[in-house]
Every structure is written in C-alpha cells, then in structure tokens.
PDB file of all heavy atoms in Angstrom:
ATOM      1  N   ASN A   1       0.816  -1.208   0.000  1.00 70.00           N
ATOM      2  CA  ASN A   1       0.000   0.000   0.000  1.00 70.00           C
ATOM      3  C   ASN A   1       0.855   1.266   0.000  1.00 70.00           C
ATOM      4  O   ASN A   1       1.879   1.328   0.678  1.00 70.00           O
ATOM      5  CB  ASN A   1      -0.913   0.014   1.233  1.00 70.00           C
ATOM      6  CG  ASN A   1      -2.354  -0.059   0.849  1.00 70.00           C
ATOM      7  OD1 ASN A   1      -2.705  -0.100  -0.306  1.00 70.00           O
ATOM      8  ND2 ASN A   1      -3.208  -0.093   1.861  1.00 70.00           N
ATOM      9  N   ASN A   2       0.426   2.260  -0.762  1.00 66.00           N
ATOM     10  CA  ASN A   2       1.047   3.588  -0.826  1.00 66.00           C
ATOM     11  C   ASN A   2       2.507   3.566  -1.261  1.00 66.00           C
ATOM     12  O   ASN A   2       3.296   4.379  -0.826  1.00 66.00           O
ATOM     13  CB  ASN A   2       0.880   4.318   0.513  1.00 66.00           C
ATOM     14  CG  ASN A   2      -0.575   4.575   0.815  1.00 66.00           C
ATOM     15  OD1 ASN A   2      -1.320   5.038  -0.050  1.00 66.00           O
ATOM     16  ND2 ASN A   2      -0.994   4.260   2.026  1.00 66.00           N
ATOM     17  N   ARG A   3       2.858   2.673  -2.136  1.00 72.00           N
ATOM     18  CA  ARG A   3       4.210   2.617  -2.723  1.00 72.00           C
ATOM     19  C   ARG A   3       4.110   3.016  -4.195  1.00 72.00           C
ATOM     20  O   ARG A   3       4.584   2.301  -5.077  1.00 72.00           O
ATOM     21  CB  ARG A   3       4.807   1.216  -2.593  1.00 72.00           C
ATOM     22  CG  ARG A   3       4.910   0.676  -1.185  1.00 72.00           C
ATOM     23  CD  ARG A   3       6.071   1.337  -0.436  1.00 72.00           C
ATOM     24  NE  ARG A   3       6.438   0.631   0.770  1.00 72.00           N
ATOM     25  CZ  ARG A   3       5.864   0.804   1.944  1.00 72.00           C
ATOM     26  NH1 ARG A   3       4.864   1.630   2.083  1.00 72.00           N
ATOM     27  NH2 ARG A   3       6.295   0.144   3.004  1.00 72.00           N
ATOM     28  N   GLN A   4       3.502   4.158  -4.451  1.00 75.00           N
ATOM     29  CA  GLN A   4       3.203   4.575  -5.823  1.00 75.00           C
ATOM     30  C   GLN A   4       4.458   4.710  -6.682  1.00 75.00           C
ATOM     31  O   GLN A   4       4.463   4.282  -7.830  1.00 75.00           O
ATOM     32  CB  GLN A   4       2.393   5.872  -5.833  1.00 75.00           C
ATOM     33  CG  GLN A   4       1.067   5.799  -5.101  1.00 75.00           C
ATOM     34  CD  GLN A   4       0.202   4.623  -5.514  1.00 75.00           C
ATOM     35  OE1 GLN A   4       0.193   4.195  -6.646  1.00 75.00           O
ATOM     36  NE2 GLN A   4      -0.525   4.068  -4.552  1.00 75.00           N
ATOM     37  N   LEU A   5       5.514   5.302  -6.146  1.00 83.00           N
ATOM     38  CA  LEU A   5       6.744   5.470  -6.921  1.00 83.00           C
ATOM     39  C   LEU A   5       7.309   4.116  -7.349  1.00 83.00           C
ATOM     40  O   LEU A   5       7.733   3.940  -8.495  1.00 83.00           O
ATOM     41  CB  LEU A   5       7.790   6.252  -6.121  1.00 83.00           C
ATOM     42  CG  LEU A   5       9.127   6.471  -6.834  1.00 83.00           C
ATOM     43  CD1 LEU A   5       8.927   7.262  -8.128  1.00 83.00           C
ATOM     44  CD2 LEU A   5      10.103   7.184  -5.915  1.00 83.00           C
ATOM     45  N   PHE A   6       7.282   3.148  -6.453  1.00 86.00           N
ATOM     46  CA  PHE A   6       7.747   1.798  -6.770  1.00 86.00           C
ATOM     47  C   PHE A   6       6.956   1.234  -7.949  1.00 86.00           C
ATOM     48  O   PHE A   6       7.529   0.698  -8.896  1.00 86.00           O
ATOM     49  CB  PHE A   6       7.601   0.899  -5.529  1.00 86.00           C
ATOM     50  CG  PHE A   6       7.872  -0.549  -5.801  1.00 86.00           C
ATOM     51  CD1 PHE A   6       9.164  -1.009  -5.980  1.00 86.00           C
ATOM     52  CD2 PHE A   6       6.821  -1.458  -5.880  1.00 86.00           C
ATOM     53  CE1 PHE A   6       9.409  -2.352  -6.227  1.00 86.00           C
ATOM     54  CE2 PHE A   6       7.062  -2.800  -6.129  1.00 86.00           C
ATOM     55  CZ  PHE A   6       8.365  -3.242  -6.303  1.00 86.00           C
ATOM     56  N   PHE A   7       5.618   1.358  -7.900  1.00 84.00           N
ATOM     57  CA  PHE A   7       4.776   0.812  -8.963  1.00 84.00           C
ATOM     58  C   PHE A   7       4.969   1.559 -10.281  1.00 84.00           C
ATOM     59  O   PHE A   7       4.920   0.954 -11.347  1.00 84.00           O
ATOM     60  CB  PHE A   7       3.305   0.819  -8.547  1.00 84.00           C
ATOM     61  CG  PHE A   7       3.005  -0.129  -7.427  1.00 84.00           C
ATOM     62  CD1 PHE A   7       2.479   0.333  -6.238  1.00 84.00           C
ATOM     63  CD2 PHE A   7       3.263  -1.483  -7.555  1.00 84.00           C
ATOM     64  CE1 PHE A   7       2.212  -0.536  -5.194  1.00 84.00           C
ATOM     65  CE2 PHE A   7       2.999  -2.365  -6.514  1.00 84.00           C
ATOM     66  CZ  PHE A   7       2.482  -1.885  -5.333  1.00 84.00           C
ATOM     67  N   VAL A   8       5.192   2.856 -10.219  1.00 88.00           N
ATOM     68  CA  VAL A   8       5.450   3.634 -11.435  1.00 88.00           C
ATOM     69  C   VAL A   8       6.757   3.160 -12.075  1.00 88.00           C
ATOM     70  O   VAL A   8       6.824   2.961 -13.295  1.00 88.00           O
ATOM     71  CB  VAL A   8       5.473   5.148 -11.142  1.00 88.00           C
ATOM     72  CG1 VAL A   8       6.049   5.933 -12.307  1.00 88.00           C
ATOM     73  CG2 VAL A   8       4.070   5.647 -10.801  1.00 88.00           C
ATOM     74  N   LEU A   9       7.775   2.962 -11.268  1.00 91.00           N
ATOM     75  CA  LEU A   9       9.066   2.488 -11.798  1.00 91.00           C
ATOM     76  C   LEU A   9       8.938   1.087 -12.398  1.00 91.00           C
ATOM     77  O   LEU A   9       9.496   0.811 -13.465  1.00 91.00           O
ATOM     78  CB  LEU A   9      10.129   2.508 -10.701  1.00 91.00           C
ATOM     79  CG  LEU A   9      10.550   3.898 -10.221  1.00 91.00           C
ATOM     80  CD1 LEU A   9      11.507   3.785  -9.040  1.00 91.00           C
ATOM     81  CD2 LEU A   9      11.174   4.699 -11.343  1.00 91.00           C
ATOM     82  N   ILE A  10       8.194   0.214 -11.743  1.00 91.00           N
ATOM     83  CA  ILE A  10       7.976  -1.137 -12.274  1.00 91.00           C
ATOM     84  C   ILE A  10       7.239  -1.050 -13.618  1.00 91.00           C
ATOM     85  O   ILE A  10       7.607  -1.723 -14.584  1.00 91.00           O
ATOM     86  CB  ILE A  10       7.182  -2.011 -11.274  1.00 91.00           C
ATOM     87  CG1 ILE A  10       8.013  -2.280 -10.023  1.00 91.00           C
ATOM     88  CG2 ILE A  10       6.708  -3.308 -11.907  1.00 91.00           C
ATOM     89  CD1 ILE A  10       9.264  -3.092 -10.255  1.00 91.00           C
ATOM     90  N   ALA A  11       6.197  -0.209 -13.680  1.00 92.00           N
ATOM     91  CA  ALA A  11       5.431  -0.052 -14.924  1.00 92.00           C
ATOM     92  C   ALA A  11       6.319   0.483 -16.047  1.00 92.00           C
ATOM     93  O   ALA A  11       6.214   0.030 -17.193  1.00 92.00           O
ATOM     94  CB  ALA A  11       4.237   0.870 -14.703  1.00 92.00           C
ATOM     95  N   LEU A  12       7.189   1.420 -15.726  1.00 95.00           N
ATOM     96  CA  LEU A  12       8.102   1.961 -16.741  1.00 95.00           C
ATOM     97  C   LEU A  12       9.068   0.886 -17.237  1.00 95.00           C
ATOM     98  O   LEU A  12       9.319   0.782 -18.442  1.00 95.00           O
ATOM     99  CB  LEU A  12       8.870   3.156 -16.185  1.00 95.00           C
ATOM    100  CG  LEU A  12       8.084   4.446 -16.051  1.00 95.00           C
ATOM    101  CD1 LEU A  12       8.907   5.507 -15.322  1.00 95.00           C
ATOM    102  CD2 LEU A  12       7.635   4.959 -17.408  1.00 95.00           C
ATOM    103  N   CYS A  13       9.593   0.082 -16.330  1.00 95.00           N
ATOM    104  CA  CYS A  13      10.520  -0.989 -16.724  1.00 95.00           C
ATOM    105  C   CYS A  13       9.818  -2.038 -17.582  1.00 95.00           C
ATOM    106  O   CYS A  13      10.355  -2.451 -18.621  1.00 95.00           O
ATOM    107  CB  CYS A  13      11.128  -1.653 -15.487  1.00 95.00           C
ATOM    108  SG  CYS A  13      12.281  -0.594 -14.593  1.00 95.00           S
ATOM    109  N   ILE A  14       8.648  -2.457 -17.163  1.00 94.00           N
ATOM    110  CA  ILE A  14       7.893  -3.458 -17.934  1.00 94.00           C
ATOM    111  C   ILE A  14       7.558  -2.915 -19.315  1.00 94.00           C
ATOM    112  O   ILE A  14       7.726  -3.597 -20.326  1.00 94.00           O
ATOM    113  CB  ILE A  14       6.616  -3.873 -17.172  1.00 94.00           C
ATOM    114  CG1 ILE A  14       6.991  -4.704 -15.949  1.00 94.00           C
ATOM    115  CG2 ILE A  14       5.650  -4.631 -18.083  1.00 94.00           C
ATOM    116  CD1 ILE A  14       5.842  -4.947 -14.995  1.00 94.00           C
ATOM    117  N   SER A  15       7.086  -1.667 -19.363  1.00 95.00           N
ATOM    118  CA  SER A  15       6.724  -1.056 -20.649  1.00 95.00           C
ATOM    119  C   SER A  15       7.948  -0.912 -21.547  1.00 95.00           C
ATOM    120  O   SER A  15       7.876  -1.204 -22.745  1.00 95.00           O
ATOM    121  CB  SER A  15       6.079   0.316 -20.427  1.00 95.00           C
ATOM    122  OG  SER A  15       4.891   0.183 -19.704  1.00 95.00           O
ATOM    123  N   ALA A  16       9.060  -0.464 -20.980  1.00 95.00           N
ATOM    124  CA  ALA A  16      10.283  -0.296 -21.774  1.00 95.00           C
ATOM    125  C   ALA A  16      10.737  -1.631 -22.362  1.00 95.00           C
ATOM    126  O   ALA A  16      11.105  -1.704 -23.537  1.00 95.00           O
ATOM    127  CB  ALA A  16      11.388   0.314 -20.911  1.00 95.00           C
ATOM    128  N   PHE A  17      10.681  -2.688 -21.563  1.00 93.00           N
ATOM    129  CA  PHE A  17      11.077  -4.012 -22.064  1.00 93.00           C
ATOM    130  C   PHE A  17      10.127  -4.481 -23.165  1.00 93.00           C
ATOM    131  O   PHE A  17      10.576  -4.983 -24.202  1.00 93.00           O
ATOM    132  CB  PHE A  17      11.136  -5.037 -20.927  1.00 93.00           C
ATOM    133  CG  PHE A  17      11.531  -6.402 -21.410  1.00 93.00           C
ATOM    134  CD1 PHE A  17      12.838  -6.664 -21.795  1.00 93.00           C
ATOM    135  CD2 PHE A  17      10.591  -7.420 -21.507  1.00 93.00           C
ATOM    136  CE1 PHE A  17      13.212  -7.922 -22.262  1.00 93.00           C
ATOM    137  CE2 PHE A  17      10.951  -8.680 -21.968  1.00 93.00           C
ATOM    138  CZ  PHE A  17      12.264  -8.928 -22.351  1.00 93.00           C
ATOM    139  N   ALA A  18       8.820  -4.321 -22.961  1.00 95.00           N
ATOM    140  CA  ALA A  18       7.850  -4.750 -23.970  1.00 95.00           C
ATOM    141  C   ALA A  18       8.002  -3.941 -25.260  1.00 95.00           C
ATOM    142  O   ALA A  18       7.874  -4.490 -26.357  1.00 95.00           O
ATOM    143  CB  ALA A  18       6.427  -4.641 -23.422  1.00 95.00           C
ATOM    144  N   ILE A  19       8.294  -2.662 -25.137  1.00 94.00           N
ATOM    145  CA  ILE A  19       8.519  -1.815 -26.325  1.00 94.00           C
ATOM    146  C   ILE A  19       9.788  -2.278 -27.045  1.00 94.00           C
ATOM    147  O   ILE A  19       9.819  -2.376 -28.282  1.00 94.00           O
ATOM    148  CB  ILE A  19       8.599  -0.326 -25.934  1.00 94.00           C
ATOM    149  CG1 ILE A  19       7.211   0.165 -25.508  1.00 94.00           C
ATOM    150  CG2 ILE A  19       9.146   0.515 -27.086  1.00 94.00           C
ATOM    151  CD1 ILE A  19       7.215   1.522 -24.817  1.00 94.00           C
ATOM    152  N   TYR A  20      10.833  -2.579 -26.277  1.00 90.00           N
ATOM    153  CA  TYR A  20      12.085  -3.072 -26.864  1.00 90.00           C
ATOM    154  C   TYR A  20      11.835  -4.366 -27.653  1.00 90.00           C
ATOM    155  O   TYR A  20      12.266  -4.503 -28.800  1.00 90.00           O
ATOM    156  CB  TYR A  20      13.116  -3.297 -25.752  1.00 90.00           C
ATOM    157  CG  TYR A  20      14.393  -3.938 -26.229  1.00 90.00           C
ATOM    158  CD1 TYR A  20      15.374  -3.185 -26.861  1.00 90.00           C
ATOM    159  CD2 TYR A  20      14.627  -5.297 -26.028  1.00 90.00           C
ATOM    160  CE1 TYR A  20      16.551  -3.771 -27.304  1.00 90.00           C
ATOM    161  CE2 TYR A  20      15.796  -5.894 -26.462  1.00 90.00           C
ATOM    162  CZ  TYR A  20      16.763  -5.125 -27.097  1.00 90.00           C
ATOM    163  OH  TYR A  20      17.917  -5.707 -27.539  1.00 90.00           O
ATOM    164  N   VAL A  21      11.119  -5.301 -27.031  1.00 91.00           N
ATOM    165  CA  VAL A  21      10.818  -6.573 -27.696  1.00 91.00           C
ATOM    166  C   VAL A  21      10.005  -6.312 -28.957  1.00 91.00           C
ATOM    167  O   VAL A  21      10.321  -6.827 -30.037  1.00 91.00           O
ATOM    168  CB  VAL A  21      10.073  -7.544 -26.755  1.00 91.00           C
ATOM    169  CG1 VAL A  21       9.548  -8.756 -27.514  1.00 91.00           C
ATOM    170  CG2 VAL A  21      10.985  -7.983 -25.617  1.00 91.00           C
ATOM    171  N   TYR A  22       8.958  -5.499 -28.833  1.00 93.00           N
ATOM    172  CA  TYR A  22       8.086  -5.219 -29.978  1.00 93.00           C
ATOM    173  C   TYR A  22       8.898  -4.629 -31.136  1.00 93.00           C
ATOM    174  O   TYR A  22       8.751  -5.035 -32.289  1.00 93.00           O
ATOM    175  CB  TYR A  22       6.970  -4.253 -29.577  1.00 93.00           C
ATOM    176  CG  TYR A  22       5.899  -4.130 -30.636  1.00 93.00           C
ATOM    177  CD1 TYR A  22       4.702  -4.816 -30.504  1.00 93.00           C
ATOM    178  CD2 TYR A  22       6.087  -3.365 -31.776  1.00 93.00           C
ATOM    179  CE1 TYR A  22       3.715  -4.731 -31.474  1.00 93.00           C
ATOM    180  CE2 TYR A  22       5.117  -3.276 -32.754  1.00 93.00           C
ATOM    181  CZ  TYR A  22       3.933  -3.956 -32.599  1.00 93.00           C
ATOM    182  OH  TYR A  22       2.978  -3.876 -33.574  1.00 93.00           O
ATOM    183  N   ALA A  23       9.738  -3.653 -30.831  1.00 89.00           N
ATOM    184  CA  ALA A  23      10.505  -2.967 -31.872  1.00 89.00           C
ATOM    185  C   ALA A  23      11.511  -3.887 -32.557  1.00 89.00           C
ATOM    186  O   ALA A  23      11.841  -3.688 -33.718  1.00 89.00           O
ATOM    187  CB  ALA A  23      11.224  -1.762 -31.269  1.00 89.00           C
ATOM    188  N   ARG A  24      11.983  -4.897 -31.845  1.00 86.00           N
ATOM    189  CA  ARG A  24      12.996  -5.802 -32.408  1.00 86.00           C
ATOM    190  C   ARG A  24      12.401  -7.053 -33.042  1.00 86.00           C
ATOM    191  O   ARG A  24      13.138  -7.818 -33.680  1.00 86.00           O
ATOM    192  CB  ARG A  24      14.000  -6.181 -31.321  1.00 86.00           C
ATOM    193  CG  ARG A  24      14.739  -4.926 -30.848  1.00 86.00           C
ATOM    194  CD  ARG A  24      16.054  -5.141 -30.248  1.00 86.00           C
ATOM    195  NE  ARG A  24      16.910  -6.122 -30.840  1.00 86.00           N
ATOM    196  CZ  ARG A  24      18.047  -5.843 -31.481  1.00 86.00           C
ATOM    197  NH1 ARG A  24      18.405  -4.604 -31.659  1.00 86.00           N
ATOM    198  NH2 ARG A  24      18.809  -6.813 -31.933  1.00 86.00           N
ATOM    199  N   LEU A  25      11.104  -7.272 -32.890  1.00 88.00           N
ATOM    200  CA  LEU A  25      10.489  -8.458 -33.485  1.00 88.00           C
ATOM    201  C   LEU A  25      10.652  -8.443 -35.003  1.00 88.00           C
ATOM    202  O   LEU A  25      10.416  -7.411 -35.637  1.00 88.00           O
ATOM    203  CB  LEU A  25       8.998  -8.524 -33.151  1.00 88.00           C
ATOM    204  CG  LEU A  25       8.627  -8.975 -31.752  1.00 88.00           C
ATOM    205  CD1 LEU A  25       7.147  -8.736 -31.480  1.00 88.00           C
ATOM    206  CD2 LEU A  25       8.972 -10.442 -31.553  1.00 88.00           C
ATOM    207  N   PRO A  26      11.064  -9.556 -35.579  1.00 85.00           N
ATOM    208  CA  PRO A  26      11.164  -9.625 -37.043  1.00 85.00           C
ATOM    209  C   PRO A  26       9.787  -9.430 -37.677  1.00 85.00           C
ATOM    210  O   PRO A  26       8.760  -9.755 -37.076  1.00 85.00           O
ATOM    211  CB  PRO A  26      11.677 -11.045 -37.294  1.00 85.00           C
ATOM    212  CG  PRO A  26      12.317 -11.459 -36.018  1.00 85.00           C
ATOM    213  CD  PRO A  26      11.535 -10.782 -34.935  1.00 85.00           C
TER     214      PRO A  26
END
C-alpha cells in the first residue's frame, strides 16, 4: 500500500522491455 513510486518504476521498466521486444520483433 502507498508505494506509488515503486509501482510507477515497475510499470516503466515493464513497458520499456515490452517496447524493446516489440521494436525488435522480425
């Protein structure tokens, strides 16, 4: 509870990884 910064950072990391994978997909 109330760890908003932690969750924002996790969301940014997950999104960045998914964007990286998407951009590199053949």
Side-chain angles (χ1 to χ4, degrees):
N1 245 359
N2 296 313
R3 302 285 195 274
Q4 301 309 326
L5 179 60
F6 172 75
F7 293 121
V8 167
L9 292 174
I10 293 296
L12 285 173
C13 290
I14 289 169
S15 297
F17 180 73
I19 290 167
Y20 174 80
V21 170
Y22 191 101
R24 297 204 40 112
L25 283 169

